[in-house]
Amino acid sequence: MPAKSKSQADAIAGLPARRSPILRLASTLVKSPVGLAGSVIVSAVVLLALFGPLISPQDAAARNLRARFQAPGHVDAAGSYYSLGSDQLGRDILSRIIAGSRVSVLVGVVSVLLSGAIGVLYGLISGFIGGALDAALMRIVDGLLAIPFIILVIAISGVVGAGLGTLVLILGGTGWVTYARVIRGEVLKARELDYVLAAYALGQRRPQVMLKHILPNVISSAIVLAAVQVGVTILAESSLSFLGLGVKPPTVTWGLMLSDGRQYINSAWWMTAFPGMAITITVLGVVFLGDWLRDVLDPQVRGRG
Amino acid sequence: MRGFFISRLAQLVVTMFIVSLAVFLIVRLSGDPILVLAPDFFSQEQIEEMRRFWGFDRPLAEQYVTFITRAITGDFGTSYLAKRPAMELIIERLGYTWMLAAAAAAIGVTIAIPLGVLSALKRNSLIDLVITLLSSLGTAMPSFWLGLMLIIIFSVHLRMLPAFGALEPKAIIMPAATLGVGMAARLSRMTRSAMLEVLSQDYVRTAHSKGLKQNIVVLRHALRNALIPIVTVFGLQLGWLLGGSVVVESVFSWPGLGRLMIDSINVRDNTVVQAGLFWFALTFILINYAIDVLYILLDPRIKFE
């Protein structure tokens, strides 16, 4: 196996043994309390999204008109336990929070993958080709960045119409702008590095240099930015659903739960308090994970809020 | 220096031009706007008539030229619903949004700068940890949820503050605090890292060794130099603040531009949506232009070619 002979060669040369990048990341994760907390929270939310129905105490859609607006800790006549209370239709808040994790994870992951792919490609091309094309592409980015992200998303989903699939496309189709600017800046720096010039000197073609030598060099910035954007996207989805411009019932989302909670804010505080906590804890986990990634990968990037 | 201001101004005009194009296209994403506007009972001729009346029968490029030439003179078309100039509606609301944003920004800065400085001075202490955790929490929390929780505490239970509207001066307290906390969380992080960078500089050590008092060193030598990155982040986070104001205005029924936008989106009053988007972007761009000017006041070393 070539990998083995390589590490043997390193050992002979007195270099430390090579470990896979994933192992290296895992070993720094254990040493970082922030990274550890973040990964525990995020994996818990992802597990809830995947296996929620198996551990959910009740059916998230099951109505029980005899148990409407029950405060946390209520036990109904049939013995069902409402640990976080019930809503206006007697549905269990905890079960609905578990069911709602699915939309947050789905929207967060898919939109960010979409916007990341578009933004990295856009920034790569803009920075690598440069010149008039770069100037034109960056003016478009400036223009789109001038409209605050959430307002842009609200306007588009208001015009186009709501729904889970549309929402993912809208968030993915607008979020790329941040990546485009950051990646373009990184490409400009990487373009001048010695090894890139060496690649040209060795007779490599431009597309090859762009994809094989520059792209790997800017990808760590994209990863850190992606972590920030997952949080931003989850918050955006909840805002949109809260305003009635995002996901529609009967799909369960934390934003929609808050929109219900607002209707009964005078009497049922638990309808508002707990779904919001779910959003906060989830995004906090993502923020922690992002902070840790930034420390480990160390690019100088910042997302927008 | 004058050349710099002029070239930045030219850039601003180009950006606003791109914004106008984006805004124009966004409200047309839904396809034929007349089909949305026309009542069901309209005949084909009435629909055609309506289309001619609003100018939708012209080619898209011609519609855009009409839109932009009128927009330059401050004419953003007539609201479909209110049958009044969209600009009039915007002006009525803009003041409320600016007032809310200014109050929130003031709260944010007042909290963030002292906490960020303290955090940096007591680096790695318990107080630093607490401040850092709080700022992560403030970033992760959806602002509209914080607003709802404040309503539950201060309006529903304590009956101290009005839950909605802008009828009395104290009505601004909760929406401004909601946005201010989010702003403070974002700014204090930046203040901390900017201060840490500056505190390790030679001139700070020199100031200490001259025997200057700690307060003077921190305020005059360190903070003043740390202000430049802080102000940059402040400008960028205003995008978050303006975006957040849309959702928070909706929570508190604050009669600003954000609520006008949401109301107009819900009734598909696209002229107003178009004008609102434009004015949000213009506000954001103008403030960032003002910040560029502020740089020169903060740092006389900055020179522009």
Side-chain angles (χ1 to χ4, degrees):
Chain A
M1 263 162 59
K4 196 170 180 184
S5 64
K6 212 173 195 174
S7 69
Q8 279 168 344
D10 286 345
I12 295 164
L15 294 169
R18 281 170 199 235
R19 284 188 292 167
S20 82
I22 296 188
L23 266 178
R24 261 204 327 253
L25 275 181
S27 75
T28 62
L29 185 63
V30 180
K31 287 180 213 138
S32 153
V34 168
L36 209 54
S39 56
V40 167
I41 296 174
V42 170
S43 10
V45 176
V46 171
L47 286 176
L48 276 186
L50 290 175
F51 304 110
L54 297 178
I55 55 163
S56 179
Q58 297 186 29
D59 177 355
R63 299 169 178 205
N64 179 357
L65 295 182
R66 287 191 184 167
R68 298 168 67 210
F69 300 119
Q70 292 303 327
H74 174 76
V75 182
D76 71 4
S80 303
Y81 179 55
Y82 295 83
S83 50
L84 301 181
S86 67
D87 70 2
Q88 76 276 19
L89 296 170
R91 298 173 297 194
D92 178 40
I93 300 281
L94 177 62
S95 306
R96 293 182 72 72
I97 287 178
I98 293 173
S101 65
R102 201 162 266 197
V103 167
S104 291
V105 170
L106 184 79
V107 170
V109 172
V110 180
S111 308
V112 166
L113 284 178
L114 184 63
S115 59
I118 302 173
V120 168
L121 196 65
Y122 190 102
L124 199 58
I125 289 173
S126 184
F128 189 73
I129 293 179
L133 180 78
D134 179 43
L137 289 180
M138 280 305 120
R139 290 295 80 73
I140 295 175
V141 167
D142 284 345
L144 290 175
L145 280 175
I147 307 172
F149 178 63
I150 187 80
I151 301 181
L152 186 66
V153 180
I154 284 175
I156 296 178
S157 46
V159 172
V160 176
L164 185 54
T166 326
L167 189 64
V168 169
L169 286 181
I170 293 173
L171 288 167
T174 46
W176 60 269
V177 195
T178 318
Y179 298 88
R181 171 170 295 170
V182 171
I183 295 301
R184 181 247 181 194
E186 295 289 306
V187 170
L188 289 186
K189 272 188 262 168
R191 214 168 56 164
E192 306 301 324
L193 292 175
D194 285 343
Y195 76 89
V196 174
L197 300 179
Y200 281 122
L202 288 171
Q204 295 210 1
R205 287 156 193 274
R206 284 168 63 84
Q208 222 176 345
V209 172
M210 181 170 93
L211 294 174
K212 269 174 65 185
H213 297 285
I214 294 190
L215 179 62
N217 206 35
V218 300
I219 210 75
S220 62
S221 299
I223 293 173
V224 171
L225 201 53
V228 177
Q229 289 297 109
V230 169
V232 172
T233 309
I234 291 175
L235 288 174
E237 181 277 320
S238 66
S239 305
L240 283 167
S241 298
F242 173 73
L243 291 170
L245 297 169
V247 181
K248 294 280 182 200
T251 309
V252 188
T253 80
W254 296 336
L256 276 172
M257 291 179 76
L258 284 173
S259 156
D260 284 344
R262 185 192 182 193
Q263 308 265 322
Y264 304 101
I265 199 163
N266 284 317
S267 49
W269 58 266
W270 53 90
M271 285 178 67
T272 298
F274 297 119
M277 274 181 211
I279 301 173
T280 307
I281 293 170
T282 304
V283 178
L284 194 62
V286 175
V287 168
F288 282 162
L289 212 52
D291 283 350
W292 167 72
L293 278 173
R294 190 192 306 273
D295 285 347
V296 176
L297 303 171
D298 192 42
Q300 294 292 315
V301 293
R302 287 207 163 262
R304 57 182 171 141
Chain B
M1 196 142 86
R2 211 168 121 203
F4 166 76
F5 287 128
I6 292 169
S7 80
R8 271 298 274 110
L9 211 55
Q11 205 183 329
L12 192 156
V13 172
V14 174
T15 307
M16 277 321 290
F17 172 74
I18 303 282
V19 167
S20 72
L21 194 60
V23 160
F24 175 84
L25 291 174
I26 286 168
V27 298
R28 280 160 185 78
L29 280 175
S30 62
D32 193 345
I34 288 300
L35 295 183
V36 179
L37 285 172
D40 293 337
F41 55 82
F42 264 34
S43 69
Q44 196 56 44
E45 285 113 56
Q46 280 170 308
I47 289 178
E48 285 307 319
E49 160 106 42
M50 201 170 162
R51 182 168 285 140
R52 263 196 304 282
F53 179 78
W54 291 108
F56 290 128
D57 55 335
R58 315 304 306 167
L60 210 57
E62 191 186 321
Q63 285 184 44
Y64 174 70
V65 172
T66 316
F67 164 67
I68 189 77
T69 44
R70 286 189 185 158
I72 290 169
T73 64
D75 173 11
F76 283 87
T78 309
S79 157
Y80 302 140
L81 190 78
K83 304 283 186 291
R84 286 169 54 203
M87 195 58 212
E88 254 179 55
L89 299 173
I90 302 274
I91 288 172
E92 279 168 16
R93 305 297 195 93
L94 205 53
Y96 282 101
T97 291
W98 283 349
M99 191 159 61
L100 180 59
I107 293 174
V109 170
T110 323
I111 300 175
I113 303 252
L115 286 189
V117 170
L118 187 65
S119 203
L121 289 176
K122 309 260 177 199
R123 185 183 191 179
N124 294 336
S125 67
L126 182 66
I127 195 154
D128 180 27
L129 181 72
V130 171
I131 292 173
T132 309
L133 280 180
L134 282 178
S135 84
S136 302
L137 195 65
T139 317
M141 207 185 284
S143 53
F144 63 96
W145 177 65
L146 178 61
L148 292 171
M149 293 311 289
L150 290 180
I151 290 179
I152 290 177
I153 298 169
F154 292 101
S155 303
V156 177
H157 288 281
L158 299 176
R159 300 186 184 279
M160 279 166 61
L161 294 167
F164 54 82
L167 293 175
E168 43 189 326
K170 67 179 178 183
I172 197 175
I173 295 175
M174 280 203 291
T178 301
L179 288 166
V181 164
M183 197 68 182
R186 286 162 173 81
L187 281 178
S188 68
R189 273 180 154 215
M190 191 60 217
T191 308
R192 178 181 182 271
S193 61
M195 277 301 281
L196 282 178
E197 191 138 307
V198 173
L199 284 173
S200 66
Q201 298 288 318
D202 286 343
Y203 57 79
V204 171
R205 203 179 326 136
T206 311
H208 274 301
S209 55
K210 276 200 301 188
L212 289 179
K213 286 201 179 108
Q214 167 81 353
N215 289 350
I216 294 183
V217 177
V218 169
L219 290 178
R220 199 183 293 166
H221 295 80
L223 184 58
R224 197 165 162 208
N225 286 294
L227 276 180
I228 291 163
I230 296 172
V231 168
T232 311
V233 170
F234 177 80
L236 294 175
Q237 293 300 343
L238 271 173
W240 175 85
L241 184 62
L242 289 172
S245 77
V246 174
V247 193
V248 169
E249 280 180 11
S250 175
V251 168
F252 290 99
S253 302
W254 182 259
L257 193 52
R259 230 187 108 218
L260 178 68
M261 284 279 290
I262 301 287
D263 292 348
S264 306
I265 284 171
N266 283 330
V267 297
R268 307 205 169 259
D269 195 346
N270 283 353
T271 331
V272 182
V273 175
Q274 194 168 261
L277 280 173
F278 189 89
W279 274 90
F280 267 118
L282 190 62
T283 305
F284 186 43
I285 288 180
L286 283 179
I287 291 173
N288 277 289
Y289 179 68
I291 282 171
D292 280 353
V293 177
L294 199 63
Y295 275 153
I296 297 170
L297 302 177
L298 283 175
D299 190 351
R301 286 173 310 179
I302 295 179
K303 290 203 176 63
F304 302 94
E305 288 84 44

